[in-house]
């Protein structure tokens, strides 16, 4: 499958690696801008950019996603699917409409609970006994798209947010692989989210 991958932090790196290991063609990687880091405030690339460059993949780092230039760059590679994992920006409807197989998001919560940017941290803060990852078909809302697959794991009382994030990153990559395999085979049945059960993190 021809894929555009969009992601930024450490959490997203296993997903990008899984796409390559599964034999997909990643035509373009979109990530956020390099940012100052450390005491010297030297510009440092996001982890996804480092991974992409190490595999010789083209990288795009647009400061604003909703421009004609970005839209044309995405459309030009003719992706079958756009995969998003912790990218950090909302996709416009015209970008969502580019790939024929849609845009798939890997979100680190058991949706519809903990939509938004910090689901792992709030799961730990709230003492959740279970956490997980959901793949979903994206729409124009914030983590409101139809759910595809889920995986979950117990959260011991002693587990930190960092420890849970590392585990869910690996779980998310495995779930992405299964999601894309079943998407190609036409085996997925999207499930609408129950908005009455939702919360934002």
């Amino acid at each position: 499958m021809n894929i555009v991958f969009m992601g930024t932090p450490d959490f997203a790196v296993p997903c990008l690696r899984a796409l390559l290991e599964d034999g997909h063609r990643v035509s373009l990687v979109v990530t956020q801008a390099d940012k100052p880091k450390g005491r010297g405030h030297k510009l440092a690339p996001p982890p996804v950019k480092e991974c992409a460059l190490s595999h010789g993949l083209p990288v795009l780092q647009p400061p604003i996603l909703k421009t004609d230039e970005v839209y044309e760059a995405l459309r030009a590679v003719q992706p079958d699917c756009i995969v998003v994992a912790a990218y950090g920006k909302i996709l416009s409807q015209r970008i969502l409409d580019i790939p024929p197989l849609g845009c798939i998001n890997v979100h680190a919560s058991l949706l519809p609970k903990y939509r938004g940017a910090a689901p792992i941290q709030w799961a730990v803060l709230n003492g959740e006994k279970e956490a997980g990852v959901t793949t979903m078909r994206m729409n124009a809302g914030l983590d409101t798209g139809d759910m595809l697959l889920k995986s979950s794991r117990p959260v011991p009382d002693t587990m930190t947010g960092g420890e849970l994030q590392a585990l869910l990153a690996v779980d998310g990559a495995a779930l992405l692989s299964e999601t894309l395999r079943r998407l190609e085979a036409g085996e997925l049945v999207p499930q609408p989210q129950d908005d009455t059960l939702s919360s934002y993190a």
Side-chain angles (χ1 to χ4, degrees), residues 68-157:
D68 291 341
E69 291 79 11
V70 172
Y71 172 75
E72 292 301 334
L74 295 173
R75 198 167 67 91
V77 300
Q78 300 180 312
D80 299 310
C81 180
I82 293 177
V83 172
V84 181
Y87 172 51
K89 296 187 183 209
I90 295 177
L91 277 60
S92 65
Q93 188 61 53
R94 69 171 180 167
I95 289 177
L96 294 174
D97 291 339
I98 290 173
L101 293 178
C103 299
I104 305 299
N105 184 28
V106 181
H107 183 70
S109 83
L110 298 173
L111 289 171
K113 199 167 188 180
Y114 299 127
R115 295 171 177 170
I120 297 171
Q121 291 82 353
W122 280 105
V124 172
L125 282 168
N126 287 341
E128 298 288 352
K129 300 300 181 188
E130 183 183 44
V133 182
T134 306
T135 52
M136 66 177 173
R137 189 183 295 278
M138 297 175 70
N139 62 18
L142 180 58
D143 300 328
T144 56
D146 290 349
M147 301 175 293
L148 300 173
L149 296 177
K150 292 184 182 184
S151 68
S152 63
R153 63 168 53 247
V155 182
D157 291 339

Side-chain angles (χ1 to χ4, degrees), residues 6 10 26 28 33 70 100 114 129:
M6 307 177 81
D10 288 321
V26 180
L28 182 64
V70 172
Y114 299 127
K129 300 300 181 188

Side-chain angles (χ1 to χ4, degrees), residues 45-86:
V48 162
K49 179 181 179 181
E50 291 183 322
C51 179
L53 294 178
S54 73
H55 288 90
L57 303 175
V59 174
L60 186 65
Q61 294 177 279
I64 300 172
L65 203 57
K66 297 179 180 179
T67 66
D68 291 341
E69 291 79 11
V70 172
Y71 172 75
E72 292 301 334
L74 295 173
R75 198 167 67 91
V77 300
Q78 300 180 312
D80 299 310
C81 180
I82 293 177
V83 172
V84 181

